[in-house]
Amino acid sequence: MANYLKVYYLPIVPFYNKAILPTIVGSLPFLRHIFIKERIQIVHGHSAFSTLAHEALFVASLLGLGTVFTDHSLFGFADASAIVTNTILRHTLANTDHCICVSHTGKENTVLRSGVKKSHVSVIPNAVDCDIFQPQLNFADDTFDDKQREKVIVVIGSRLVYRKGIDLVAPILPKLCQRDFNGISVDFVIGGDGPKRIVIEETIEHYGLQSRVQMLGELCHSDVRDKLLIKGDIFLNTSLTEAFCMAILEAVACGLTVVSTKVGGIPEVLPERYIHFVEPEVASIEAGLVKAVEEVIANRQPSKEECHSFVRKTYDWRNVAERTEVVYDAIMKSEAKSLSKRVRHHWECGRLAGPLMAILYLFCHYWIIVLNFLDQ
């Protein structure tokens, strides 16, 4: 059978942050048509924030198709956003055949939030395309001495939002820019955009750091390597919560030394040889950056070739694909759930939301029967 890829553009208007308004009923005819026309056997949804992923898995279970969900994020349990997201996730995974998480920390978080059995959750990390994310090797790489090097460049590539710890970055900028390392200065290059950008810009203006901190704005993923990563010596990540963090892997693949907060699943991603772990506090981040800068100046960090080789061997997309295929094969061999069992799974998800979702599930089931009759 020939391999091919089709992309469908659904007539559904995004209502906020590129997400569609959740309706289930509104998207059901489109999703049903696609699944039947393309003879889909397994539907794989990604991200707890994706309305379309949730609805696709809901419709897939109604059609008796195999279902997989990959959770990429960590969520709390107390704030309004987390309560709503966790409730939706609980219903989505009620009839999903298998769940994939990108770290063991993420798995524990997903199990607690959704109530899904641990045996139904696999841990498969993300991977990096190391043919794209490569260090820029030239005569100057790894050969600087104190006299030749004039500056160390710290790069930050992140959405400029609260969860990424941007409020911790602002006070770090003047502290490092004003510090002298035996005549060697520290400059910053920041790629990304978001509501916290104003915090960084105000800090730059207040301390007169316009010549020391470069703001690149939002970058296409295809530009991250050339316009950001290979420009720097150190990559700084200040996330307050993170299930995996692809950015630090891409940075190491490009030969950078990483300084990152020790939160969520990040300690699972890289060994301490390639990363300086810090606490999500200004003093700790400053100390970690100072240590990393001193290592770079003294040329004590792992070589760029070693960093790239580690990521290429450890986080290979072929390996990820093979492990995902194992999940798909297991789903295809599993026994299909009866309608009564699927309805009961929704009913048991909550005192109020459970019965309402069970009724909605039954309504959609009979609507599909009507659509099947009209297609004849």
Side-chain angles (χ1 to χ4, degrees):
M1 182 181 294
N3 295 322
Y4 66 94
L5 173 67
K6 284 189 178 180
V7 178
Y8 283 82
Y9 295 92
L10 302 181
I12 304 174
V13 180
F15 82 105
Y16 173 72
N17 199 24
K18 300 180 182 179
I20 66 171
L21 185 68
T23 62
I24 297 179
V25 176
S27 60
L28 187 148
F30 305 120
L31 294 172
R32 170 192 166 274
H33 172 75
I34 294 170
F35 295 160
I36 293 175
K37 179 183 178 182
E38 299 297 336
R39 299 180 181 179
I40 301 299
Q41 293 177 291
I42 297 176
V43 175
H44 192 158
H46 289 259
S47 178
F49 281 123
S50 174
T51 303
L52 189 60
H54 290 295
E55 297 190 356
L57 292 172
F58 187 87
V59 174
S61 72
L62 284 164
L63 296 174
L65 305 178
T67 50
V68 187
F69 176 76
T70 296
D71 201 355
H72 295 270
S73 302
L74 300 179
F75 291 89
F77 301 89
D79 60 283
S81 174
I83 292 172
V84 172
T85 303
N86 294 344
T87 301
I88 294 172
L89 183 66
R90 183 176 290 270
H91 284 282
T92 297
L93 297 187
N95 287 314
T96 297
D97 295 312
H98 204 81
C99 182
I100 295 174
C101 292
V102 294
S103 66
H104 292 280
T105 301
K107 175 179 178 177
E108 295 297 325
N109 183 261
T110 298
V111 168
L112 288 173
R113 287 159 48 217
S114 66
V116 67
K117 295 180 180 178
K118 285 188 177 182
S119 58
H120 290 175
V121 184
S122 297
V123 175
I124 302 177
N126 293 318
V128 175
D129 188 346
C130 286
D131 291 333
I132 295 176
F133 290 94
Q134 297 189 37
Q136 186 177 46
L137 299 177
N138 54 50
F139 74 93
D141 287 344
D142 303 324
T143 62
F144 279 121
D145 58 33
D146 290 348
K147 294 180 180 179
Q148 292 174 305
R149 183 184 286 277
E150 296 180 354
K151 63 177 65 175
V152 173
I153 298 178
V154 178
V155 300
I156 300 171
S158 169
R159 286 180 289 115
L160 305 184
V161 296
Y162 171 78
R163 189 177 72 82
K164 294 295 185 177
I166 303 305
D167 290 304
L168 299 174
V169 173
I172 290 294
L173 297 178
K175 289 177 180 291
L176 267 293
C177 288
Q178 293 169 3
R179 190 158 184 157
D180 181 78
F181 294 85
N182 296 323
I184 299 174
S185 61
V186 176
D187 288 0
F188 287 80
V189 179
I190 302 175
D193 204 354
K196 289 294 182 178
R197 176 170 181 161
I198 186 66
V199 177
I200 302 296
E201 290 177 338
E202 287 177 347
T203 301
I204 293 172
E205 183 176 354
H206 179 75
Y207 289 95
L209 303 176
Q210 288 84 351
S211 63
R212 307 290 299 280
V213 182
Q214 182 182 3
M215 300 286 290
L216 300 180
E218 185 174 357
L219 296 174
C220 295
H221 190 253
S222 58
D223 293 331
V224 170
R225 186 258 181 190
D226 295 335
K227 294 185 177 180
L228 180 67
L229 294 181
I230 62 173
K231 304 288 186 182
D233 303 291
I234 298 170
F235 184 87
L236 175 61
N237 172 60
T238 56
S239 295
L240 302 180
T241 176
E242 201 77 65
F244 186 81
C245 193
M246 282 290 294
I248 62 174
L249 270 189
E250 293 169 349
V252 174
C254 289
L256 277 70
T257 298
V258 172
V259 177
S260 174
T261 46
K262 192 176 183 179
V263 297
I266 290 179
E268 302 176 34
V269 178
L270 290 168
E272 293 189 11
R273 175 167 175 77
Y274 303 100
I275 186 170
H276 296 268
F277 289 116
V278 296
E279 298 300 321
E281 302 169 352
V282 173
S284 180
I285 296 171
E286 180 185 3
L289 271 177
V290 169
K291 182 178 179 181
V293 170
E294 291 173 345
E295 284 192 0
V296 169
I297 293 174
N299 197 27
R300 294 197 304 266
Q301 79 278 22
S303 69
K304 294 184 177 182
E305 294 92 336
E306 179 188 340
C307 292
H308 181 79
S309 177
F310 170 80
V311 177
R312 181 180 285 277
K313 292 178 181 178
T314 310
Y315 294 98
D316 176 56
W317 273 118
R318 185 176 296 276
N319 177 263
V320 170
E322 290 173 351
R323 294 165 69 176
T324 306
E325 282 183 359
V326 172
V327 173
Y328 290 167
D329 290 339
I331 289 172
M332 295 304 296
K333 295 175 183 177
S334 62
E335 183 179 351
K337 303 182 185 76
S338 65
L339 175 63
S340 61
K341 192 172 184 179
R342 284 180 275 145
V343 172
R344 187 171 72 250
H345 285 168
H346 281 294
W347 189 283
E348 293 172 350
C349 281
R351 293 183 179 180
L352 178 60
L356 289 176
M357 285 298 295
I359 292 170
L360 177 61
Y361 193 85
L362 275 175
F363 171 79
C364 291
H365 169 74
Y366 289 115
W367 189 19
I368 286 177
I369 292 177
V370 173
L371 292 173
N372 290 341
F373 175 77
L374 295 175
D375 281 348
Q376 295 177 357

